[in-house]
Amino acid sequence: MPLQIPDPVLGAWTKGFPARTAGLRLSEVGSAGLHLSDLVTPVLTVHEAALDHNESTVFDWARREGVLLAPHGKTTMAPALWQRLLDAGAWGISVATPWQAEVAVDAGVAVVLIANAVTDRAAARHLGELLAADPALRILCWADSVAAVGILADALVEAERPLDVLVELGGVGGRTGARTLEEGELIAAAITAAPGLRLAGVTGYEGPFGPDRGDASVSAVDAYLQTLVTLHERLDYESGLRPVLSAGGSAFPDRAAAVLSPHRDEADIVLRSGAFQIHDDGFYARMSPFGPLTSTDPLRSAMHAWSRVVSQPEPGLALLDAGRRDVPFDLDLPVPQTVAGRITALNDQHAFLALADGSSVEPGDVVRLGLSHPCTAFDKWRVVAVIDDPDADDPRVVGAVATCF
């Protein structure tokens, strides 16, 4: 189903784009004859061929493993990139908040999974209104306490259609989620008893249980995922409903598939992996199993930042024009890819580049940066340029996507 793709008119607000693009529609960027050298640093770009590769790699793997994908839309908040995921066969799009869900519904996404509890009564009522307005729309959310179920039940007591609610199970040291199976059963009973709600499955997030790919982390993740299966097997669902059994899957999709997919005959196994489409040169490059562990090609980073040298105040040090307003820094600092050295710190609008022995740059030179964590790269950009080849001498700009943060 075609989504409603934002097509704004470019102007001075469009960071990274030159003045001569003012007045162009976003959809006209690809035919404007732009190259990377025409863009204004700092600038974030997405590599089209890497998107193609990552999408085909992961969706082919998911089909082979018998799991479904509801990629996390909050990673990019870009309906044009969501469209690519849906075209590739996504079961739906995941989001993190009721507002993000509204953006997805407004764009035309037919299955929206809110990977969070909704404890705002007004937001819950609005979800009911969205469901009433579109019989083809499906919205699912989570609950990890009887109190959270009570908020939803009160807000939706007169709802025309029930809201699908998944029991979220966590664990000691995790994030949200009920801490015991017994708690999970009480939450499920409360959902079943509420007329405006429907018990739709079990869910959780395995990320906190495995900070790396070591044996201890993998074992902890597997043990946690097995608790999701155990709770699912204890619950009784409405006749005719196919429940959802869902995990995160960005860092441990192989483990989620291994533990959950044996139950695909009685449930939809839905992974919410969001980072794979963009991937990165940092955290997910270290964590992703795609490659030998999954008998696939490795994923490729589809995002880069390009930053210009603005100062070289002392030997071995250069200052770039990309800072915390432009590039992610929550998991790793950016990595220079076209000159030997390392980024040692970021200010709001500067990056400190410590040059390796024998390396040199001059003011005006452009440095390509590898980035870590696409979720905190895209939220700094309202429009992102799409290029054909980041390794070319002067990549062509073949399009652009708008974000909705």
Side-chain angles (χ1 to χ4, degrees):
M1 174 180 172
L3 299 185
Q4 298 295 316
I5 306 298
D7 193 19
V9 175
L10 275 58
W13 62 272
T14 320
K15 183 170 70 168
F17 283 77
R20 72 182 179 91
T21 62
L24 288 180
R25 287 277 180 187
L26 186 78
S27 56
E28 298 171 326
V29 169
S31 58
L34 295 172
H35 287 77
L36 180 68
S37 59
D38 296 311
L39 303 182
V40 181
T41 59
V43 65
L44 180 71
T45 63
V46 169
H47 178 202
E48 188 170 48
L51 291 176
D52 292 338
H53 169 80
N54 295 345
E55 291 157 0
S56 63
T57 296
V58 175
F59 277 95
D60 287 349
W61 168 84
R63 282 186 282 270
R64 189 184 79 203
E65 295 295 320
V67 300
L68 303 169
L69 298 176
H72 221 317
K74 60 96 174 166
T75 299
T76 64
M77 284 304 292
L81 296 178
W82 298 350
Q83 182 73 71
R84 294 175 62 101
L85 296 166
L86 293 169
D87 289 345
W91 176 85
I93 295 293
S94 295
V95 295
T97 69
W99 169 76
Q100 291 174 0
E102 187 169 357
V103 172
V105 172
D106 187 63
V109 178
V111 178
V112 179
L113 172 58
I114 304 174
N116 214 339
V118 177
T119 56
D120 180 323
R121 285 179 172 81
R125 282 194 296 272
H126 185 54
L127 295 179
E129 292 165 358
L130 292 173
L131 289 168
D134 184 357
L137 174 65
R138 187 180 188 191
I139 300 175
L140 308 91
C141 73
W142 298 2
D144 71 349
S145 67
V146 172
V149 175
I151 292 170
L152 292 174
D154 289 345
L156 296 166
V157 66
E158 297 181 357
E160 294 183 23
R161 296 175 57 205
L163 175 67
D164 282 344
V165 183
L166 308 180
V167 178
E168 183 193 1
L169 187 63
V172 175
R175 194 167 65 184
T176 53
R179 288 328 200 219
T180 67
L181 292 167
E182 291 71 25
E183 261 188 282
E185 290 178 295
L186 290 174
I187 294 163
I191 296 168
T192 301
L197 309 179
R198 180 170 66 167
L199 177 63
V202 174
T203 188
Y205 175 50
E206 73 284 354
F209 301 99
D212 52 43
R213 291 291 307 193
D215 290 346
S217 290
V218 170
S219 295
V221 166
D222 283 1
Y224 166 71
L225 291 167
Q226 186 57 52
T227 66
L228 300 183
V229 172
T230 301
L231 179 58
H232 161 70
E233 292 176 332
R234 290 188 184 187
L235 301 186
D236 293 320
Y237 300 102
E238 175 184 296
S239 177
L241 172 74
R242 185 169 173 82
V244 171
L245 185 54
S246 176
S250 277
F252 295 96
D254 55 326
R255 303 318 310 154
V259 176
L260 303 184
S261 66
H263 304 274
R264 60 185 178 269
D265 288 344
E266 74 262 17
D268 285 335
I269 310 303
V270 177
L271 304 190
R272 305 182 305 276
S273 316
F276 75 84
Q277 185 183 32
I278 302 298
H279 199 51
D280 70 6
D281 284 305
F283 177 77
Y284 288 107
R286 297 191 297 272
M287 293 292 289
S288 173
F290 287 101
L293 286 177
T294 53
S295 300
T296 66
D297 289 335
L299 302 183
R300 304 173 190 164
S301 180
M303 65 176 180
H304 300 92
W306 307 79
S307 184
R308 198 174 301 273
V309 178
V310 294
S311 176
Q312 193 171 10
E314 60 189 61
L317 173 66
L319 277 296
L320 309 181
D321 63 0
R324 294 177 181 177
R325 303 292 178 90
D326 313 299
V327 293
F329 56 93
D330 56 320
L331 295 180
D332 302 284
L333 292 175
V335 177
Q337 296 181 322
T338 52
V339 64
R342 62 189 182 94
I343 302 297
T344 60
L346 294 176
N347 293 159
D348 283 353
Q349 305 291 174
H350 292 92
F352 290 73
L353 170 59
L355 294 162
D357 290 344
S359 295
S360 64
V361 293
E362 296 182 358
D365 288 350
V366 174
V367 177
R368 188 178 84 189
L369 299 174
L371 306 176
S372 181
H373 201 191
C375 297
T376 52
F378 274 71
D379 65 357
K380 296 166 176 57
W381 296 86
R382 295 171 70 184
V383 174
V384 180
V386 181
I387 60 173
D388 64 342
D389 181 2
D391 294 319
D393 289 339
D394 193 8
R396 289 188 308 113
V397 178
V398 297
V401 296
T403 66
C404 298
F405 285 101

